[in-house]
Amino acid sequence: NAGVTQTPKFQVLKTGQSMTLQCAQDMNHNSMYWYRQDPGMGLRLIYYSASEGTTDKGEVPNGYNVSRLNKREFSLRLESAAPSQTSVYFCASSEPRTTNEKLFFGSGTQLSVL
Amino acid sequence: KQEVTQIPAALSVPEGENLVLNCSFTDSAIYNLQWFRQDPGKGLTSLLLIQSSQREQTSGRLNASLDKSSGRSTLYIAASQPGDSATYLCAVKSGAVDSSYKLIFGSGTRLLVRP
């Protein structure tokens, strides 16, 4: 059972380059999320998708776009990378409004923008 | 605005000790609270989820309690082992309607259990 799968695991970009982080889950969850984790700042929500076909901004959406391709897949795109976007990115999924709506995380993407 | 704080930021204990990790939140109107474990270079693993109507949840050597009125949760680890070394984070899901899908995370407590 794979759970939440993220690709790539590592990426180095130059300022101004673009890239897409891919995420897929096989738990039939309705909700999916993208977080970034920075030292001393905990995890901050970038975007989320409550269900297939919907996306909403989180706490730190500037510089990012997302696509909920289908129920399984939720991608995060950096159109023009900036050094401030150097971070570890996590995708997560859950089935909200149930008695056990635990959040399941992928293993993360470590992104460096030079 | 909900804020979640975890103190201390780091903790080192000898193997076998019982220990308590703390999590505090500023707005008591929460929907649920989760405790996570994060190993270096890995994602987060949900350990325990406590609904707002519950006082505690247990899983093996772990026990999490919730006191909404005081804005506190504790994670109790019994008979700690070196394999428990990791960063432990708590996250609160607000009860506000417009934040139904948003968790607010603490910065975590980095635990080292010495053999």
Side-chain angles (χ1 to χ4, degrees), chain B:
Chain B
K1 179 185 175 183
Q2 179 73 271
E3 293 182 2
V4 180
T5 304
Q6 292 184 251
I7 297 173
L11 182 64
S12 178
V13 300
E15 182 177 4
E17 190 164 299
N18 301 325
L19 60 99
V20 173
L21 305 180
N22 297 300
C23 173
S24 61
F25 45 94
T26 55
D27 185 349
S28 62
I30 66 169
Y31 188 76
N32 61 43
L33 183 146
Q34 285 188 67
W35 280 95
F36 294 86
R37 168 184 174 139
Q38 185 176 26
D39 293 288
K42 301 288 179 64
L44 282 71
T45 300
S46 183
L47 298 172
L48 291 164
L49 182 149
I50 310 177
Q51 300 290 353
S52 62
S53 59
Q54 297 174 320
R55 295 282 293 180
E56 64 178 353
Q57 281 285 334
T58 298
S59 176
R61 294 182 294 107
L62 305 179
N63 176 278
S65 67
L66 175 65
D67 184 344
K68 283 199 309 178
S69 61
S70 66
R72 290 185 177 184
S73 176
T74 61
L75 179 66
Y76 175 83
I77 302 177
S80 59
Q81 303 170 357
D84 295 329
S85 298
T87 298
Y88 292 82
L89 298 95
C90 67
V92 168
K93 181 174 179 179
S94 173
V97 173
D98 64 350
S99 61
S100 296
Y101 298 98
K102 301 175 187 177
L103 291 183
I104 305 298
F105 283 82
S107 296
T109 294
R110 190 170 64 255
L111 173 66
L112 174 65
V113 181
R114 307 185 304 272

